[in-house]
Amino acid sequence: MADKQHLYLVDGSSYIFRAYHRLPPLTNPEGTPVGAVYGYTTMLWKLADDLDKAEGPTHLAVILDKSSHSFRNELYAEYKAHRPDPPEDLVPQFPLIRDATRAFSLPCIEEQGYEADDLIASYAKAATRKGWDVTIVSSDKDLMQLIGQCAEDHLDPGVAEGGCIDMLDTMKDARIGREEVIEKFGVPPEKVGDVLALMGDSVDNVPGIFGIGPKTASKLIAENGDLAAALDSAADMKPSKLRERLLEGRDMAMLSRELVELKSDIALPVALEDMKLDGIPPEPLAEFLTTHGFNSLLKRLHAGSGSPTRTTNLNPAKQETAGAPASREGNRQAPPEMPPVDRSGYECVQTMERLQAWIDRAFAARLVAVDTEASSLDSIQADLVGVSLALGPNDACYIPLGHGGSDMFAEKPEQVPLADAVATLKPLLESDAVLKAGQNIKYDINVLARHGIALGPVDDTMIISFDMDAGRQADGIGGGHGMDELSERHLGHTTLAFKDICGTGKKQIPFGEVPIARATEYAAEDADVTWRLHTLLKPRLALEGSTRVYERVDRPLIPVVAQMERHGIRVDRARLAKLSDEFATETAKLEGEIHQLAGQEFTIGSPKQLGDILFDKLGYKGGRKGKSGQYSTDQGILEGLAAQGAEIAQKVLDWRQLAKLKSTYTDALQEAINPATGRVHTSYSLVGAQTGRLSSTDPNLQNIPIRTAIGRQIREAFVPEEGNVLLAADYSQIELRLAAHMCDVPTLKEAFLAGEDIHARTAQEMFGTVDRDTRARAKTVNFAILYGISRWGLAGRLGIEPDEAQAIIDTYFQRFPGIQAYIHSTLEQVRTRGYSETLFGRKTWFPRITSTHQAERQGSERAAINAPIQGTSADIIKRAMVRMMPALDEAGLGHVRMLLQVHDELVFELPEGDVDTAGPVIERVMAEAALPAVELTVPLGIEIGHGKSWDAAH
DNA sequence: TCGTTCACG
DNA sequence: GACGTACGTGAACGAG
């Protein structure tokens, strides 16, 4: 069981008023008053710093009032009507409260039409129903109604004991519980609303009953039980002033009761789980503190001690290097005081006693590097062969578990029995108190999942490297984040290569057949190197400004993606086989016809042979030789020939389409079906695309055909289990929407806000008229913008002259002001800093932007223009993925399975009957995925569909 | 191993 | 005057 969760809800609005009156009128370097902001900042600091304390928060959020108008004004126009305007030098501090909250990377929640109190009530109730404790940081007496224990009959399913709500007044440093409420009001918390209804509240202009103050009110409620009874009791009273007032004021009291009632069933704009407090990225905080001249806090932040930031639980002292700017070219650096890798000291663990000793040490260390060896690169069907652990440089072991066995005559090495080892390792590998560091740890998560181990919490050196250094090596072979490369680059150490241990090709042996002494050298080294890389790279995250994207986006995504891979998706083998047959028949027929037309047999699949036939032998015009000296025969060329009436060109196009579909999809997908699960399990790479997108391999399920009717048949073979459906949810035009927001283009934003067809609107703006042709041209131009435009590229796409294309580009920039400025500033930033950034702080490096080679440089420029947009889109869907299962769980839909991600689409499998409940949850999570970190000025549109196949779900 | 082609967003 | 022209991917295939 996880430790008890404790949610802190900070009533930000009420705090700021009190802070204002208590603190001196400080101003920041720009002269803006910031006294109240300073007070607020120190309070958040203190709260976040209590993370490790017994009563401290595990989750924290700030709740603010959105505006002064709420549903209570509908009930009573006078509500809060007589409030004086806030002091002049407090007004500019309100928005800074949000900045301060964001600087702490904490969620900041406000909702139109509701007051902070209602949101607090809703969150507090929801949390206690889950068994979480709640502390409301406020001193507002209205909130005292909420204090107490969650009643048993209100608990969420599966929760044994309800949570408890109390309040914390940080200014008086006082906890307010049930006793304190009784002391103050003379009644328990649940009766506070009744007392308030009688006495009224002059600050909020809640009327109450004239002439009844707190004393009388609490006495009446205490004696009669509740408000209704207290009002009724007037009838039996002796004639008195009080009796008259009660009888006359009855309606006002009832209205007041409604006004003070807190609304506790508001749909929660941010999921409770997203309030998790686990390490506050220091750099946004440092930036905020610097901006406002909060130097004493800044000093504390840099000193490391007493700061609320915790990137990891190791190496807290490495802060001296914080001032050194990161090297632009890369990060070759002398390894710190770590001894060179020495494989001779690794231990091969062969007994329970030794295994237990390592586990005990790992618990004490609280950080262990883990690596699993298995029988296959496919983690879904790989059998566990061994586990290695590292606790420090050269302090590593290998635990062989599945060695020997294929050769019946060879002696099997002594090993801890697999089941025993698994049972013994499980508590360590699952312990919240021990961080597991791995290189591509998603693989290990999946291998271990087959043995009932839910590995976590985890850190991944590959992803840490990616988040800091994506694109940084211009010669990025293999992405540049593989362990061998990282070891070479950061440790100056060459690791043993897998092929040196197991060989390659036909002579390759399974890892389980490697003698255990040799296996220990290889496997323990991997754990050792991983430990070293983690120690070196993790603290660098903060210095590079990448903690936030790692901690908030990519790291939490690891187990989510691992789970998706394990789910897999069912494909209908018979259907694919039938398609394969049809495609085979058709290609054979086309092949004969093509050979006939060519007058000879040749390999149609060879562009070289095809080019020679078309342009030399048959003499068609339009031949274009590339740098390889070979004719190009790509789609565009062949379509050109077909338009000239070349029958053979059309037939080659048809042949190519069918051959492609057969070899890449219908044949390959059947091969990819896992015999154990009957499903296809792709592997996602979190470091595959420089922009932060995922990529999919073995098989690639992100390029299944959809654009043509014939290709779409393949999607019909992706099916749910009996009784289930597939549900597909897409972000509609997300990149254009993001471009509209990021470039701040008024026309485009309006169009999206109004729900218009964006390409039609573009056509209207550009060409003054909308028809099929202008809309299609506008669509092309819109994409051209996203991809970094050139007159020649656009001319090629639109089939016009470069001059005309340039005219269109000029018009576009003129009609949509903001785009050009975005391009300019993005390139400027990339040229000076070396990297581009998404709205969520993901960096992509472009070392070639300064290349003297023009084509190379221009290529980088186009990529740099696109990266923030494509990358922000990737960040958004990743955030949605992280929040998806908790949100579905919350709605009692934990059995819904998220199967696939295709850049702007998520595919789910669920029982047919749950579509109506799951759809809105999925839609909401996706639509709100940018919040609270980024507030977009355009809505994120979601299109959702379901059906008995992936095709039918669109 | 490289270049070409083409499937996707 | 030559580059070679849209951003990001992965897989299959032919050719050397």
Side-chain angles (χ1 to χ4, degrees):
Chain A
M1 267 300 281
D3 291 341
K4 184 97 172 168
Q5 306 295 307
H6 198 144
L7 170 65
Y8 273 50
L9 295 165
V10 179
D11 182 4
S13 306
S14 85
Y15 189 90
I16 186 91
F17 279 95
R18 299 176 70 207
Y20 172 77
H21 292 291
R22 284 186 60 150
L23 284 147
L26 305 167
T27 53
N28 72 9
E30 284 179 11
T32 310
V34 288
V37 178
Y38 179 76
Y40 177 80
T41 307
T42 52
M43 175 200 60
L44 278 189
W45 186 292
K46 195 167 173 313
L47 289 177
D49 209 13
D50 281 345
L51 172 57
D52 288 320
K53 306 229 174 95
E55 287 293 309
T58 59
H59 294 68
L60 202 160
V62 174
I63 320 287
L64 296 172
D65 285 315
K66 179 101 181 176
S67 68
S68 57
H69 199 91
S70 76
F71 70 92
R72 290 188 178 81
N73 297 93
E74 316 294 326
L75 290 173
Y76 185 53
E78 296 300 300
Y79 180 67
K80 291 197 175 176
H82 302 312
R83 275 212 174 166
D85 286 329
E88 203 178 272
D89 55 340
L90 177 55
V91 173
Q93 301 193 52
F94 288 124
L96 296 179
I97 294 304
R98 292 177 183 84
D99 290 358
T101 312
R102 278 189 214 111
F104 279 89
S105 303
L106 292 169
C108 189
I109 298 160
E110 47 198 320
E111 194 85 323
Q112 195 66 50
Y114 298 107
E115 297 185 61
D117 288 359
D118 300 308
L119 284 163
I120 289 172
S122 298
Y123 273 107
K125 292 286 181 193
T128 52
R129 281 199 296 269
K130 293 163 74 77
W132 298 11
D133 283 338
V134 175
T135 293
I136 298 167
V137 181
S138 175
S139 57
D140 188 339
K141 58 186 179 316
D142 292 354
L143 289 167
M144 292 186 185
Q145 301 174 64
L146 296 169
I147 288 173
Q149 182 93 33
C150 182
E152 245 172 63
D153 50 345
H154 289 100
L155 298 183
D156 285 354
V159 175
E161 197 190 354
C164 199
I165 304 175
D166 67 1
M167 279 174 71
L168 175 65
D169 181 345
T170 49
M171 287 197 180
K172 296 183 185 147
D173 203 25
R175 290 254 168 202
I176 302 158
R178 196 178 165 83
E179 300 311 316
E180 286 76 10
V181 173
I182 294 173
E183 199 182 313
K184 183 177 166 70
F185 282 98
V187 295
E190 59 272 21
K191 307 281 188 204
V192 165
D194 292 343
V195 173
L196 292 171
L198 282 176
M199 65 185 260
D201 183 344
S202 56
V203 178
D204 290 349
N205 208 26
V206 171
I209 294 182
F210 178 77
I212 297 186
K215 289 275 156 56
T216 317
S218 64
K219 183 160 162 278
L220 282 169
I221 299 298
E223 282 170 6
N224 294 287
D226 63 27
L227 178 65
L231 293 170
D232 289 341
S233 73
D236 300 323
M237 280 182 187
K238 294 185 293 214
S240 67
K241 205 80 181 186
L242 177 62
R243 181 173 186 272
E244 265 178 56
R245 284 174 172 162
L246 281 173
L247 289 172
E248 276 173 24
R250 186 180 180 96
D251 287 348
M252 272 309 186
M254 296 309 281
L255 171 65
S256 299
R257 186 68 190 83
E258 272 192 87
L259 289 174
V260 300
E261 180 70 32
L262 297 177
K263 202 161 164 47
S264 63
D265 57 359
I266 303 172
L268 306 184
V270 172
L272 283 166
E273 275 75 12
D274 292 330
M275 300 176 172
K276 179 113 180 100
L277 188 64
D278 58 351
I280 289 168
E283 60 285 342
L285 185 52
E287 197 183 321
F288 177 84
L289 298 177
T290 308
T291 304
H292 296 293
F294 298 165
N295 295 325
S296 59
L297 293 177
L298 196 60
K299 210 184 259 175
R300 268 161 72 185
L301 180 67
H302 284 313
S305 64
S307 104
T309 62
R310 301 194 321 171
T311 49
T312 172
N313 50 8
L314 79 145
N315 264 346
K318 287 254 165 100
Q319 295 284 344
E320 301 84 63
T321 52
S327 149
R328 166 95 179 264
E329 265 63 44
N331 25 60
R332 276 166 218 282
Q333 56 194 82
E337 343 61 46
M338 270 192 225
V341 172
D342 173 12
R343 289 187 277 264
S344 65
Y346 297 146
E347 176 177 348
C348 182
V349 173
Q350 294 175 281
T351 64
M352 243 356 212
E353 288 68 33
R354 290 306 304 151
L355 176 58
Q356 193 59 57
W358 276 92
I359 290 172
D360 292 344
R361 288 184 58 218
F363 268 110
R366 302 189 49 164
L367 166 74
V368 57
V370 177
D371 185 36
T372 56
E373 303 301 333
S375 58
S376 160
L377 276 177
D378 176 358
S379 64
I380 303 298
Q381 55 181 5
D383 289 314
L384 187 59
V385 171
V387 176
S388 38
L389 307 176
L391 297 172
N394 293 331
D395 186 6
C397 70
Y398 179 57
I399 309 148
L401 298 169
H403 282 256
S406 74
D407 181 350
M408 290 158 64
F409 302 102
E411 200 173 331
K412 231 177 148 172
E414 182 190 353
Q415 294 169 74
V416 178
L418 179 66
D420 295 352
V422 166
T424 315
L425 281 163
K426 186 177 160 85
L428 172 72
L429 298 181
E430 294 185 346
S431 169
D432 281 346
V434 184
L435 181 63
K436 271 68 68 171
Q439 166 73 13
N440 187 20
I441 203 157
K442 176 163 64 63
Y443 176 88
D444 308 273
I445 289 174
N446 281 339
V447 169
L448 292 169
R450 299 189 68 206
H451 297 273
I453 292 175
L455 184 66
V458 298
D459 249 339
D460 192 323
T461 47
M462 181 175 75
I463 296 171
I464 291 171
S465 167
F466 176 77
D467 283 347
M468 293 188 293
D469 293 337
R472 217 169 198 174
Q473 301 82 41
D475 54 289
I477 307 149
H481 309 283
M483 184 162 70
D484 298 350
E485 284 169 89
L486 292 180
S487 175
E488 205 70 64
R489 193 182 315 141
H490 298 292
L491 306 173
H493 168 73
T494 307
T495 52
L496 283 177
F498 184 80
K499 63 175 195 292
D500 296 337
I501 306 292
C502 295
T504 52
K506 285 195 176 134
K507 281 180 282 184
Q508 187 170 337
I509 57 166
F511 195 79
E513 297 311 313
V514 175
I516 58 170
R518 185 82 175 131
T520 297
E521 283 192 84
Y522 172 83
E525 179 188 48
D526 277 4
D528 184 5
V529 167
T530 301
W531 190 95
R532 290 163 188 255
L533 287 172
H534 184 263
T535 303
L536 210 59
L537 297 184
K538 185 81 185 273
R540 244 194 73 210
L541 266 178
L543 309 180
E544 300 272 348
S546 295
T547 306
R548 196 188 167 110
V549 80
Y550 174 69
E551 294 289 347
R552 294 269 189 255
V553 182
D554 286 343
R555 184 180 184 220
L557 190 66
I558 298 168
V560 175
V561 171
Q563 173 85 78
M564 291 167 72
E565 294 180 0
R566 292 200 301 278
H567 284 326
I569 184 165
R570 185 177 171 203
V571 299
D572 182 341
R573 183 194 294 273
R575 188 152 200 161
L576 289 175
K578 187 159 164 270
L579 282 174
S580 276
D581 281 351
E582 288 170 19
F583 294 158
T585 310
E586 191 61 25
T587 45
K589 187 173 147 238
L590 285 166
E591 196 168 321
E593 292 169 5
I594 290 164
H595 289 164
Q596 188 86 45
L597 288 165
Q600 69 172 93
E601 296 203 349
F602 68 101
T603 308
I604 304 169
S606 163
K608 186 175 170 7
Q609 291 185 34
L610 178 65
D612 291 344
I613 295 275
L614 290 174
F615 300 110
D616 289 342
K617 179 164 185 199
L618 299 179
Y620 284 112
K621 298 276 188 299
R624 182 161 56 79
K625 287 189 179 178
K627 59 180 163 201
S628 57
Q630 179 182 310
Y631 289 112
S632 171
T633 64
D634 67 21
Q635 209 162 28
I637 298 280
L638 293 182
E639 278 166 359
L641 294 181
Q644 289 174 38
E647 203 185 342
I648 189 173
Q650 186 57 53
K651 289 197 188 295
V652 170
L653 283 169
D654 294 344
W655 181 91
R656 279 214 183 131
Q657 181 185 25
L658 294 171
K660 171 92 176 178
L661 293 178
K662 182 172 186 295
S663 71
T664 309
Y665 301 105
T666 57
D667 289 353
L669 279 173
Q670 293 182 66
E671 292 297 310
I673 296 172
N674 180 314
T677 63
R679 296 166 75 97
V680 173
H681 305 262
T682 184
S683 174
Y684 288 104
S685 171
L686 275 67
V687 302
Q690 302 298 321
T691 52
R693 273 190 178 180
L694 302 188
S695 71
S696 159
T697 58
D698 308 307
N700 181 356
L701 294 185
Q702 291 183 321
N703 71 346
I704 302 300
I706 192 169
R707 292 173 187 170
T708 65
I710 188 156
R712 247 193 327 266
Q713 294 178 87
I714 292 163
R715 288 201 174 216
E716 294 172 9
F718 285 77
V719 292
E721 301 293 340
E722 270 66 43
N724 283 3
V725 290
L726 293 181
L727 182 150
D730 292 39
Y731 283 107
S732 152
Q733 306 288 3
I734 187 169
E735 292 193 2
L736 270 176
R737 286 173 196 258
L738 291 173
H741 169 82
M742 294 165 76
C743 305
D744 195 20
V745 186
T747 322
L748 291 176
K749 292 204 290 191
E750 280 162 26
F752 280 125
L753 283 163
E756 287 177 41
D757 174 338
I758 198 66
H759 299 310
R761 175 64 183 263
T762 306
Q764 182 65 47
E765 296 286 333
M766 294 290 300
F767 309 117
T769 170
V770 184
D771 55 41
R772 261 178 85 129
D773 175 59
T774 54
R775 186 182 178 282
R777 280 147 56 91
K779 186 174 175 180
T780 300
V781 177
N782 275 329
F783 279 106
I785 295 298
L786 296 181
Y787 297 154
I789 199 164
S790 82
R791 72 186 76 171
W792 299 279
L794 185 61
R797 294 279 162 149
L798 290 178
I800 57 178
E801 292 305 309
D803 287 356
E804 299 173 69
Q806 186 60 54
I808 289 178
I809 294 167
D810 292 342
T811 309
Y812 197 98
F813 285 157
Q814 196 194 336
R815 304 301 299 210
F816 303 115
I819 303 266
Q820 207 165 20
Y822 163 84
I823 291 173
H824 185 261
S825 63
T826 302
L827 290 179
E828 195 55 34
Q829 189 205 313
V830 174
R831 281 193 276 259
T832 53
R833 298 203 288 205
Y835 58 86
S836 71
E837 238 175 336
T838 67
L839 291 185
F840 299 88
R842 179 185 302 282
K843 293 177 176 180
T844 305
W845 293 81
F846 294 92
R848 291 181 172 165
I849 200 104
T850 52
S851 169
T852 50
H853 186 258
Q854 186 176 260
E856 197 172 81
R857 186 174 66 248
Q858 288 174 338
S860 276
E861 287 172 355
R862 292 190 296 269
I865 290 165
N866 180 249
I869 297 168
Q870 187 180 118
T872 299
S873 160
D875 290 340
I876 287 174
I877 196 166
K878 282 175 162 182
R879 291 167 64 95
M881 291 164 73
V882 166
R883 295 174 187 181
M884 192 58 76
M885 285 320 298
L888 287 166
D889 268 328
E890 187 101 4
L893 292 161
H895 55 279
V896 173
R897 291 188 289 182
M898 181 159 64
L899 308 185
L900 302 178
Q901 190 252 42
V902 194
H903 310 309
D904 64 358
E905 172 185 8
L906 293 172
V907 179
F908 300 83
E909 180 169 4
L910 68 168
E912 203 159 2
D914 289 334
V915 168
D916 291 344
T917 46
V921 176
I922 290 166
E923 191 172 340
R924 194 198 76 219
V925 170
M926 289 175 74
E928 295 175 353
L931 297 170
V934 171
E935 209 162 311
L936 296 173
T937 50
V938 288
L940 290 178
I942 316 294
E943 287 174 358
I944 224 167
H946 63 93
K948 285 292 182 185
S949 73
W950 194 3
D951 182 51
H954 275 280

